């Protein structure tokens, strides 16, 4: 399954991508007018469409199409004991060092990337200290230990605490899973590589509960399914691989773990983790909450704590991978260049642009755009030279442009231009909706 390859990293430089994302409204720094805030990003009109397409596809594949997975949307803040049981209060930390000269803080295991000391001379690092990555807040009027709560560091813990309730209301038997998409927060010491390592991000997690004898089989099943998903959304197979964790990398309770990695311009990096977490989570919450979370198997008449196979994918990292992978700066025959994002149509933020050749004939084209908008995200643009309008759509990855010209007035046909090949085809205006729909849901 591992597709270790000689694939080149995406041709885009990160500074070019960051520039395009801000200029066209994919992602840009949060609170930009105040100079931004490190590790926090806002998704603009195109970014939110891209991320919503990704989330919808994940939900469709992992939850809706299956009768053995239930959905959940739990609160971001949960009982603080949750994070004691999960081990986060005690162990969720990175070793960090401070530089006495420039006063900056670094992860002790990433000092190679520290860069030069801004105070001049060499960095003067302190001894490593443990730094808990959970973001704290306070509930109620007083700011004391009793009112301390945490913004969740991963979405899955509520899946474990809600395990019994969801299983009962959904009348599920093992094997079955609970899935959710939601925000997670980590006070990363060095947020970096654009949205890759952020302090606020979104995860899509599935916790799949199985009998002990079936854990290996389900681990393989979900690893294969998740690897296939990344190809389905259009990531190049040559830039995807699975990396099995070495035994020394495994959490003490885990039996197996593997990362799905993508070849970013800054190297191979994890976008998704698939973990065999054993019965650690349910056992710990049972112990801390004093509630029985075991399962009675009616067939074998045995009672046990289910094992958990987890799939955990970052929506922001995957969006970044989609952007890096889609980017191409293409040299055209006429000596010109165009920047194209070759998104898979299912992920493209805008599915089609409707472009009347002139303002004088805009009305029927606008009517077409209105009709298409009932089914998909459509952009309508009447201004400017048609070549330039095509380029603007190429740059945001719109798969099709539909041009209404003077001939359309008499023959009722429009020209559909395909983004990657730039081939043009004339089809009846009344057929456009079905034509696009067929290509979006083949
Ligand atoms: N419940 C398991 C868990 O949270 P993880 O490997 O820490 O595992 C899973 O995180 C996924 O969440 C990662 O593969 C990554 O895509 C995303 N992720 C983790 N930390 C992130 C961060 N600081 N910024 C953006 N995405 C992050």
């Amino acid at each position: 399954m591992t597709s270790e390859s000689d694939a080149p990293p995406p041709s885009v430089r990160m500074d070019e991508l960051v520039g395009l994302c801000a200029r066209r409204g994919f992602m840009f720094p949060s609170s930009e007018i105040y100079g931004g805030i490190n590790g926090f990003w806002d998704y603009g009109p195109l970014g939110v469409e891209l991320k919503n397409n990704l989330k919808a596809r994940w939900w469709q594949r992992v939850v809706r199409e299956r009768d053995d997975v239930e959905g959940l949307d739990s609160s971001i803040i949960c009982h603080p004991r949750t994070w004691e049981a999960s081990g986060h209060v005690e162990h969720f930390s990175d070793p960090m060092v401070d530089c006495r000269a420039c006063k900056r803080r670094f992860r002790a295991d990433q000092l190679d990337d520290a860069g030069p000391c801004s105070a001049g001379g060499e960095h003067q690092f302190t001894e490593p200290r443990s730094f808990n990555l959970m973001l704290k807040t306070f509930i109620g009027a007083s700011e004391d230990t009793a009112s301390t709560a945490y913004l969740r560091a991963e979405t899955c813990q509520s899946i474990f605490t809600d395990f019994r309730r969801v299983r009962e209301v959904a009348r599920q038997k093992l094997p079955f899973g609970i899935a959710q998409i939601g925000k997670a927060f980590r006070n990363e010491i060095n947020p970096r590589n654009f949205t890759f390592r952020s302090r606020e991000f979104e995860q899509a997690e599935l916790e799949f509960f199985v009998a002990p004898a079936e854990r290996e089989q389900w681990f393989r099943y979900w690893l294969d399914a998740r690897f296939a998903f990344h190809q389905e959304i259009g990531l190049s197979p040559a830039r995807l691989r699975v990396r099995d964790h070495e035994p020394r990398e495994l959490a003490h309770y885990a039996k197996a773990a593997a990362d799905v990695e993508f070849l970013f311009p800054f190297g191979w990096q994890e976008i998704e983790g698939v973990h065999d977490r054993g019965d650690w989570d349910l056992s710990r919450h049972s112990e801390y909450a004093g509630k029985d979370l075991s399962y009675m198997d009616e067939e074998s008449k045995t009672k046990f704590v289910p094992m958990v196979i987890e799939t955990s994918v970052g929506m922001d990292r995957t969006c970044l991978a989609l952007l890096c992978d889609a980017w191409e700066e293409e040299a055209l025959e006429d000596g010109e260049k165009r920047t194209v994002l070759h998104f898979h149509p299912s992920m493209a933020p805008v599915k089609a642009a409707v472009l009347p050749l002139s303002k004088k004939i805009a009305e029927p084209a606008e009517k077409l755009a209105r009709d298409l908008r009932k089914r998909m995200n459509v952009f309508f643009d009447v201004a400017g030279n048609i070549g330039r309008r095509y380029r603007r759509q190429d740059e945001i990855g719109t798969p099709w442009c539909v041009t209404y010209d003077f001939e359309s007035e008499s023959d009722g046909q429009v020209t559909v231009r395909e983004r990657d090949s730039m081939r043009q085809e004339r089809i009846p205006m009344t057929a456009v909706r079905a034509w696009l729909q067929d290509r979006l849901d083949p």
Side-chain angles (χ1 to χ4, degrees), residues 322-359:
L322 286 168
L323 280 157
C324 293
D325 196 52
W327 171 288
E328 188 185 9
E329 188 116 285
E330 201 179 70
L332 300 177
E333 279 170 12
D334 56 12
E336 275 204 35
K337 272 192 186 163
R338 66 165 187 156
T339 303
V340 200
L341 293 183
H342 296 283
F343 285 132
H344 189 279
S346 64
M347 294 295 114
V350 177
K351 306 300 182 199
V354 178
L355 312 171
L357 212 53
S358 150
K359 276 193 188 125

Short mmCIF file of all heavy atoms in Angstrom, two decimals, residues 322-359:
data_model
loop_
_atom_site.label_atom_id
_atom_site.label_comp_id
_atom_site.label_asym_id
_atom_site.label_seq_id
_atom_site.Cartn_x
_atom_site.Cartn_y
_atom_site.Cartn_z
N LEU A 322 -4.41 19.78 -0.35
CA LEU A 322 -5.17 19.93 -1.60
C LEU A 322 -4.66 21.13 -2.39
O LEU A 322 -4.49 21.07 -3.61
CB LEU A 322 -6.67 20.10 -1.31
CG LEU A 322 -7.41 18.83 -0.86
CD1 LEU A 322 -8.80 19.18 -0.32
CD2 LEU A 322 -7.55 17.83 -2.02
N LEU A 323 -4.40 22.22 -1.69
CA LEU A 323 -3.92 23.44 -2.36
C LEU A 323 -2.52 23.22 -2.95
O LEU A 323 -2.26 23.57 -4.10
CB LEU A 323 -3.90 24.61 -1.38
CG LEU A 323 -5.26 25.28 -1.13
CD1 LEU A 323 -5.29 26.00 0.21
CD2 LEU A 323 -5.60 26.25 -2.26
N CYS A 324 -1.63 22.64 -2.15
CA CYS A 324 -0.25 22.42 -2.63
C CYS A 324 -0.25 21.49 -3.84
O CYS A 324 0.47 21.71 -4.81
CB CYS A 324 0.61 21.78 -1.54
SG CYS A 324 0.92 22.85 -0.14
N ASP A 325 -1.05 20.42 -3.73
CA ASP A 325 -1.06 19.40 -4.79
C ASP A 325 -1.68 19.94 -6.08
O ASP A 325 -1.28 19.56 -7.17
CB ASP A 325 -1.86 18.19 -4.29
CG ASP A 325 -1.61 16.95 -5.12
OD1 ASP A 325 -0.43 16.60 -5.30
OD2 ASP A 325 -2.59 16.35 -5.58
N ALA A 326 -2.67 20.82 -5.92
CA ALA A 326 -3.42 21.30 -7.09
C ALA A 326 -2.64 22.34 -7.89
O ALA A 326 -2.88 22.53 -9.08
CB ALA A 326 -4.75 21.90 -6.63
N TRP A 327 -1.72 23.00 -7.25
CA TRP A 327 -1.03 24.14 -7.86
C TRP A 327 -0.19 23.76 -9.08
O TRP A 327 0.59 22.82 -9.04
CB TRP A 327 -0.13 24.78 -6.80
CG TRP A 327 0.80 25.84 -7.31
CD1 TRP A 327 1.91 25.66 -8.09
CD2 TRP A 327 0.71 27.24 -7.08
NE1 TRP A 327 2.51 26.86 -8.34
CE2 TRP A 327 1.79 27.86 -7.73
CE3 TRP A 327 -0.18 28.05 -6.36
CZ2 TRP A 327 2.01 29.23 -7.69
CZ3 TRP A 327 0.04 29.41 -6.32
CH2 TRP A 327 1.12 29.98 -6.98
N GLU A 328 -0.34 24.52 -10.14
CA GLU A 328 0.61 24.40 -11.26
C GLU A 328 0.79 25.77 -11.91
O GLU A 328 -0.17 26.51 -12.10
CB GLU A 328 0.10 23.42 -12.32
CG GLU A 328 1.17 23.15 -13.36
CD GLU A 328 0.73 22.27 -14.54
OE1 GLU A 328 -0.49 22.00 -14.64
OE2 GLU A 328 1.58 21.91 -15.34
N GLU A 329 2.03 26.07 -12.21
CA GLU A 329 2.32 27.27 -13.00
C GLU A 329 2.63 26.75 -14.39
O GLU A 329 3.67 26.13 -14.59
CB GLU A 329 3.53 27.99 -12.42
CG GLU A 329 3.75 29.33 -13.05
CD GLU A 329 3.58 30.46 -12.06
OE1 GLU A 329 2.43 30.78 -11.71
OE2 GLU A 329 4.61 30.99 -11.64
N GLU A 330 1.72 26.96 -15.31
CA GLU A 330 1.80 26.28 -16.60
C GLU A 330 2.28 27.25 -17.68
O GLU A 330 1.75 28.37 -17.78
CB GLU A 330 0.40 25.77 -16.95
CG GLU A 330 0.33 24.67 -17.95
CD GLU A 330 -1.13 24.25 -18.18
OE1 GLU A 330 -1.88 25.03 -18.77
OE2 GLU A 330 -1.51 23.16 -17.74
N ALA A 331 3.25 26.79 -18.48
CA ALA A 331 3.69 27.62 -19.62
C ALA A 331 2.79 27.31 -20.80
O ALA A 331 2.63 26.14 -21.18
CB ALA A 331 5.14 27.29 -19.94
N LEU A 332 2.17 28.32 -21.37
CA LEU A 332 1.25 28.10 -22.49
C LEU A 332 2.00 28.24 -23.82
O LEU A 332 3.09 28.81 -23.87
CB LEU A 332 0.10 29.10 -22.42
CG LEU A 332 -0.75 29.01 -21.14
CD1 LEU A 332 -1.81 30.08 -21.13
CD2 LEU A 332 -1.39 27.64 -21.01
N GLU A 333 1.35 27.73 -24.89
CA GLU A 333 2.01 27.77 -26.21
C GLU A 333 2.33 29.18 -26.68
O GLU A 333 3.34 29.43 -27.32
CB GLU A 333 1.12 27.08 -27.24
CG GLU A 333 1.25 25.56 -27.18
CD GLU A 333 0.21 24.88 -28.02
OE1 GLU A 333 -0.47 25.56 -28.81
OE2 GLU A 333 0.07 23.65 -27.86
N ASP A 334 1.44 30.12 -26.32
CA ASP A 334 1.67 31.49 -26.80
C ASP A 334 2.72 32.23 -25.97
O ASP A 334 2.86 33.45 -26.07
CB ASP A 334 0.35 32.27 -26.78
CG ASP A 334 -0.31 32.26 -25.40
OD1 ASP A 334 0.37 31.85 -24.43
OD2 ASP A 334 -1.47 32.66 -25.28
N GLY A 335 3.44 31.48 -25.12
CA GLY A 335 4.52 32.09 -24.34
C GLY A 335 4.03 32.67 -23.03
O GLY A 335 4.83 33.07 -22.18
N GLU A 336 2.69 32.67 -22.85
CA GLU A 336 2.17 33.19 -21.57
C GLU A 336 2.23 32.12 -20.48
O GLU A 336 2.46 30.95 -20.77
CB GLU A 336 0.71 33.58 -21.78
CG GLU A 336 0.56 34.98 -22.32
CD GLU A 336 -0.81 35.55 -21.96
OE1 GLU A 336 -1.31 35.25 -20.88
OE2 GLU A 336 -1.35 36.27 -22.80
N LYS A 337 2.00 32.54 -19.27
CA LYS A 337 1.94 31.59 -18.15
C LYS A 337 0.56 31.66 -17.54
O LYS A 337 -0.07 32.71 -17.57
CB LYS A 337 2.94 32.02 -17.08
CG LYS A 337 4.32 31.48 -17.27
CD LYS A 337 5.10 31.74 -16.01
CE LYS A 337 6.55 31.35 -16.17
NZ LYS A 337 7.36 31.96 -15.14
N ARG A 338 0.10 30.53 -16.99
CA ARG A 338 -1.12 30.65 -16.18
C ARG A 338 -0.93 29.85 -14.90
O ARG A 338 -0.29 28.78 -14.90
CB ARG A 338 -2.37 30.20 -16.95
CG ARG A 338 -2.40 28.72 -17.28
CD ARG A 338 -3.80 28.27 -17.72
NE ARG A 338 -3.81 26.81 -17.88
CZ ARG A 338 -4.88 26.04 -17.80
NH1 ARG A 338 -6.06 26.56 -17.57
NH2 ARG A 338 -4.81 24.72 -17.95
N THR A 339 -1.48 30.37 -13.82
CA THR A 339 -1.50 29.62 -12.57
C THR A 339 -2.83 28.88 -12.52
O THR A 339 -3.88 29.50 -12.68
CB THR A 339 -1.39 30.57 -11.37
OG1 THR A 339 -0.20 31.33 -11.52
CG2 THR A 339 -1.35 29.82 -10.05
N VAL A 340 -2.75 27.57 -12.32
CA VAL A 340 -3.97 26.76 -12.27
C VAL A 340 -3.99 25.97 -10.97
O VAL A 340 -2.96 25.42 -10.57
CB VAL A 340 -4.04 25.69 -13.39
CG1 VAL A 340 -5.46 25.24 -13.62
CG2 VAL A 340 -3.39 26.15 -14.65
N LEU A 341 -5.13 25.88 -10.34
CA LEU A 341 -5.33 24.91 -9.25
C LEU A 341 -6.16 23.77 -9.84
O LEU A 341 -7.33 23.96 -10.18
CB LEU A 341 -6.05 25.57 -8.07
CG LEU A 341 -5.29 26.66 -7.31
CD1 LEU A 341 -6.11 27.15 -6.11
CD2 LEU A 341 -3.92 26.17 -6.83
N HIS A 342 -5.51 22.59 -9.96
CA HIS A 342 -6.20 21.45 -10.57
C HIS A 342 -7.01 20.68 -9.54
O HIS A 342 -6.82 19.48 -9.37
CB HIS A 342 -5.17 20.49 -11.19
CG HIS A 342 -4.37 21.08 -12.32
ND1 HIS A 342 -4.87 21.25 -13.58
CD2 HIS A 342 -3.10 21.54 -12.36
CE1 HIS A 342 -3.95 21.78 -14.36
NE2 HIS A 342 -2.86 21.98 -13.64
N PHE A 343 -7.89 21.36 -8.81
CA PHE A 343 -8.69 20.65 -7.82
C PHE A 343 -9.55 19.57 -8.48
O PHE A 343 -10.06 19.78 -9.59
CB PHE A 343 -9.68 21.60 -7.14
CG PHE A 343 -9.09 22.54 -6.15
CD1 PHE A 343 -9.41 23.90 -6.21
CD2 PHE A 343 -8.26 22.10 -5.14
CE1 PHE A 343 -8.90 24.79 -5.27
CE2 PHE A 343 -7.75 22.99 -4.21
CZ PHE A 343 -8.07 24.33 -4.28
N HIS A 344 -9.76 18.48 -7.76
CA HIS A 344 -10.80 17.54 -8.15
C HIS A 344 -12.12 18.32 -8.10
O HIS A 344 -12.35 19.08 -7.15
CB HIS A 344 -10.82 16.38 -7.15
CG HIS A 344 -11.71 15.26 -7.57
ND1 HIS A 344 -13.07 15.28 -7.38
CD2 HIS A 344 -11.43 14.09 -8.19
CE1 HIS A 344 -13.59 14.16 -7.86
NE2 HIS A 344 -12.61 13.42 -8.36
N PRO A 345 -13.00 18.13 -9.12
CA PRO A 345 -14.24 18.92 -9.12
C PRO A 345 -15.02 18.86 -7.81
O PRO A 345 -15.62 19.85 -7.39
CB PRO A 345 -15.05 18.31 -10.27
CG PRO A 345 -14.00 17.74 -11.19
CD PRO A 345 -12.87 17.29 -10.31
N SER A 346 -14.99 17.70 -7.15
CA SER A 346 -15.76 17.59 -5.90
C SER A 346 -15.22 18.52 -4.82
O SER A 346 -15.95 18.89 -3.90
CB SER A 346 -15.74 16.15 -5.39
OG SER A 346 -14.41 15.77 -5.05
N MET A 347 -13.96 18.89 -4.88
CA MET A 347 -13.37 19.76 -3.85
C MET A 347 -13.35 21.23 -4.29
O MET A 347 -13.20 22.12 -3.46
CB MET A 347 -11.92 19.33 -3.55
CG MET A 347 -11.79 17.98 -2.89
SD MET A 347 -12.54 17.93 -1.23
CE MET A 347 -13.88 16.78 -1.53
N ALA A 348 -13.46 21.49 -5.59
CA ALA A 348 -13.33 22.87 -6.08
C ALA A 348 -14.33 23.79 -5.38
O ALA A 348 -15.52 23.48 -5.31
CB ALA A 348 -13.56 22.89 -7.58
N PRO A 349 -13.86 24.94 -4.87
CA PRO A 349 -14.78 25.84 -4.15
C PRO A 349 -15.89 26.36 -5.06
O PRO A 349 -17.04 26.48 -4.65
CB PRO A 349 -13.89 27.00 -3.71
CG PRO A 349 -12.49 26.53 -3.84
CD PRO A 349 -12.47 25.41 -4.83
N VAL A 350 -15.55 26.68 -6.30
CA VAL A 350 -16.55 27.13 -7.27
C VAL A 350 -16.61 26.05 -8.35
O VAL A 350 -15.57 25.67 -8.89
CB VAL A 350 -16.15 28.49 -7.89
CG1 VAL A 350 -17.16 28.92 -8.95
CG2 VAL A 350 -16.01 29.56 -6.81
N LYS A 351 -17.81 25.57 -8.64
CA LYS A 351 -17.91 24.47 -9.61
C LYS A 351 -17.94 25.01 -11.04
O LYS A 351 -17.41 24.39 -11.95
CB LYS A 351 -19.18 23.65 -9.37
CG LYS A 351 -19.33 23.13 -7.95
CD LYS A 351 -18.20 22.25 -7.53
CE LYS A 351 -18.39 21.72 -6.12
NZ LYS A 351 -17.16 21.24 -5.52
N ALA A 352 -18.60 26.14 -11.23
CA ALA A 352 -18.68 26.70 -12.59
C ALA A 352 -18.79 28.21 -12.51
O ALA A 352 -19.37 28.75 -11.56
CB ALA A 352 -19.89 26.13 -13.31
N ALA A 353 -18.22 28.86 -13.53
CA ALA A 353 -18.38 30.32 -13.64
C ALA A 353 -19.21 30.58 -14.89
O ALA A 353 -18.94 30.00 -15.95
CB ALA A 353 -17.01 30.99 -13.76
N VAL A 354 -20.21 31.42 -14.76
CA VAL A 354 -21.04 31.77 -15.92
C VAL A 354 -20.61 33.16 -16.36
O VAL A 354 -20.63 34.12 -15.58
CB VAL A 354 -22.54 31.72 -15.56
CG1 VAL A 354 -23.38 32.15 -16.77
CG2 VAL A 354 -22.92 30.33 -15.11
N LEU A 355 -20.19 33.24 -17.64
CA LEU A 355 -19.54 34.46 -18.13
C LEU A 355 -20.21 34.95 -19.41
O LEU A 355 -19.92 34.44 -20.49
CB LEU A 355 -18.06 34.17 -18.41
CG LEU A 355 -17.27 33.43 -17.32
CD1 LEU A 355 -15.89 33.02 -17.83
CD2 LEU A 355 -17.13 34.29 -16.07
N PRO A 356 -21.09 35.93 -19.32
CA PRO A 356 -21.63 36.50 -20.55
C PRO A 356 -20.54 37.33 -21.25
O PRO A 356 -19.77 38.01 -20.55
CB PRO A 356 -22.77 37.38 -20.08
CG PRO A 356 -22.51 37.65 -18.64
CD PRO A 356 -21.65 36.56 -18.11
N LEU A 357 -20.49 37.23 -22.56
CA LEU A 357 -19.42 37.90 -23.28
C LEU A 357 -19.51 39.42 -23.18
O LEU A 357 -18.50 40.12 -23.22
CB LEU A 357 -19.46 37.48 -24.75
CG LEU A 357 -18.12 37.41 -25.46
CD1 LEU A 357 -17.12 36.55 -24.70
CD2 LEU A 357 -18.33 36.81 -26.86
N SER A 358 -20.75 39.89 -23.01
CA SER A 358 -20.92 41.34 -22.93
C SER A 358 -22.06 41.64 -21.93
O SER A 358 -22.97 40.82 -21.74
CB SER A 358 -21.28 41.86 -24.32
OG SER A 358 -22.09 43.01 -24.23
N LYS A 359 -21.98 42.84 -21.37
CA LYS A 359 -23.03 43.25 -20.42
C LYS A 359 -24.39 43.28 -21.07
O LYS A 359 -25.41 43.04 -20.44
CB LYS A 359 -22.71 44.66 -19.90
CG LYS A 359 -21.74 44.65 -18.75
CD LYS A 359 -21.70 46.00 -18.07
CE LYS A 359 -20.57 45.98 -17.06
NZ LYS A 359 -19.59 46.99 -17.17
#
